[in-house]
Amino acid sequence: VLLVESGGDLVQPGGSLRLSCAVSGFVFDRHIYGWQRQVPGKKFEAVSTIFMDGSTSYVDSVKGRFTISRDNSKNTVYLQMTNLKPDDTGVYRCVIDYGVGGRGRGTQVTVSS
């Protein structure tokens, strides 16, 4: 399985970014996908998850600001991030089945003025 993230960048507070995760080597629509992030000095934490039926979950700190989605026709998972805050800075990676099925290498998001 291969997961490749893209879309990370330097953005000002209040800005937006959309992360993408292209997945290959898996039957895409039969798995759960998630985004995790690692802030400096800490371990990766779950940010958002999307299930096979399209339902979603979010960590409290991003509720109302981040939206996870999946496009089964493109084998891609997205994380739309709005109203970004400096605390959102970190490495974001996508995972399959809570990480058991595979993990990407991550993409850097930096929120700073």
Side-chain angles (χ1 to χ4, degrees):
V1 61
L2 182 64
L3 300 91
V4 180
E5 302 94 338
S6 61
D9 205 345
L10 169 63
V11 62
Q12 292 186 345
S16 299
L17 284 175
R18 188 177 80 156
L19 305 183
S20 299
C21 175
V23 181
S24 59
F26 244 62
V27 180
F28 183 84
D29 59 356
R30 297 182 185 177
H31 296 278
I32 298 167
Y33 296 91
W35 287 93
Q36 299 176 342
R37 72 181 173 194
Q38 183 180 39
V39 300
K42 295 189 177 181
K43 296 180 180 179
F44 274 99
E45 65 165 352
V47 172
S48 183
T49 302
I50 186 164
F51 300 91
M52 285 181 279
D53 64 356
S55 60
T56 59
S57 68
Y58 300 91
V59 68
D60 285 347
S61 61
V62 308
K63 284 181 180 177
R65 300 189 297 119
F66 289 12
T67 303
I68 189 172
S69 61
R70 57 194 292 169
D71 187 335
N72 291 343
S73 68
K74 295 182 178 180
N75 288 8
T76 302
V77 183
Y78 303 97
L79 186 68
Q80 179 68 49
M81 306 186 293
T82 63
N83 191 21
L84 282 160
K85 304 176 180 181
D87 286 349
D88 295 319
T89 294
V91 175
Y92 286 71
R93 69 180 183 186
C94 62
V95 300
I96 297 176
D97 297 336
Y98 305 104
V100 175
R103 309 167 187 173
R105 299 185 69 174
T107 185
Q108 177 70 43
V109 172
T110 302
V111 184
S112 175
S113 55

